[in-house]
Every structure is written in C-alpha cells, then in structure tokens.
Amino acid sequence: MRLGWDRGSLNAADIARDAVAAGASALTVHGRTRQDFYNGEADWRAIADVVAAVPVPVIANGDVDGVSSARTCLARSGAAGVMIGRAAMGQPWIVGEVAAGLAGRPVAAPSPGERTDAAVEHYGELLRLYGRAVGARHARKHLAAYADRAAEAGFGLPEADRRLLVTAQEPAEVVRLLRRLYDAPLARAA
C-alpha cells in the first residue's frame, strides 16, 4: 500500500490495522502517496506510523537502491525489512547485494556473463509467464533497463541495436542482442 491518497489523507496506519484484522500477516508500505506517484523522496519516517500501528512485520518500500539507503530506510521506518522496486530494473542482482550487505557479508558484483544470463533468463520467463505477444510487450521496459544498466557500466549496444532490442518481435533476435550487451566496452563519442 501507499501512505495514502495524498498528503492530506495519510491513512496507511488505518488500512494496515484493517488488513491485519482481516488476516494479513505482513504488509508492505511505499513511502509515498498515490498523488506523489514517484516524485519527491519516499517518506520513511511516515512508514514508522504503520509499524507502530500493527503487530505484524512491515516491509518498507521507496527509494531503496543499495545497502546504504536500505540501512537508512530501516533505521527511519523501524520496518522489519525493505522491498526494492524500480532500482532492481535492469539489475535484479541488487536484491542479493543489499541482503548480503545488510547481513554484513561481502558480495561480489556479478560478472558481465552473469548479468547477461540474468537478462536472458528474465526475458524468457516473461515470455513463458505471459505468452509471446504480451510477454514481448511487457519485456520492453525491462530490456531498456538492462541496456541502460549495461551502458552505465561502460558496455551496451549501438543506438540502432538498442532500439531493435526493445522493439524486436522475434525472441531469438532479442536474445541475440541481450547476449551482446556485455560483449565489449561501448565506444563513447568524445
């Protein structure tokens, strides 16, 4: 759930109590209102009101994009855990990195090959879950995110191939392009 509809109606604690009364055994709260959409910063302190209102674990969500933000979110909200949303797009391994970091365990960043394998597996599972037509449409935002994350790491595809990656209808073509994401550092214009 979100904190409420807007800043004038922060009713997440009331909804949480009702959900627990109806049998909920855990809750996830996003630190923004519906009207906030994804603008501004998540209000982790407001999630603390929900934590105080119910006897079940509350998971905090919003703006968690690494170990540092996860620690801060947990400290401010008092939540039992964190959920990672948009920050995991194009880099689902971040969930394991954050979990390891919170547990005090070192974690090695995935190799380019492991990143490629994750992208290919994710794409295949979307097609399997939704079917080819719907899965291909749903996958576009994820494919774009994988391409963006590869570019942030200094890899990626030329712009024409990136465009093809997110528009191709043939799964074999998409997989071929995904397998090229981390082949070699992408030349940058000077």
Side-chain angles (χ1 to χ4, degrees), residues 25-103:
S25 58
L27 301 165
T28 300
V29 181
H30 184 84
R32 290 186 179 86
T33 68
R34 171 62 178 92
Q35 292 305 308
D36 288 337
F37 294 96
Y38 298 104
N39 298 316
E41 292 182 6
D43 186 350
W44 297 327
R45 291 191 198 284
I47 296 172
D49 294 339
V50 178
V51 171
V54 294
V56 300
V58 173
I59 310 303
N61 174 248
D63 295 342
V64 177
D65 60 3
V67 176
S68 177
S69 60
R71 281 192 180 112
T72 303
C73 175
L74 290 169
R76 290 184 185 164
S77 69
V82 295
M83 183 178 96
I84 300 173
R86 289 176 295 147
M89 287 189 63
Q91 57 176 3
W93 47 85
I94 192 175
V95 175
E97 290 174 350
V98 168
L102 289 175

Side-chain angles (χ1 to χ4, degrees), residues 85-149:
R86 289 176 295 147
M89 287 189 63
Q91 57 176 3
W93 47 85
I94 192 175
V95 175
E97 290 174 350
V98 168
L102 289 175
R105 294 187 320 266
V107 63
S111 70
E114 290 167 330
R115 291 171 187 226
T116 297
D117 290 346
V120 169
E121 180 182 2
H122 187 185
Y123 176 69
E125 289 300 313
L126 288 171
L127 296 183
R128 186 185 66 72
L129 178 64
Y130 293 112
R132 184 172 165 172
V134 174
R137 280 193 309 277
H138 183 78
R140 289 178 183 158
K141 66 183 175 187
H142 297 286
L143 296 170
Y146 281 113
D148 291 346
R149 297 296 183 175

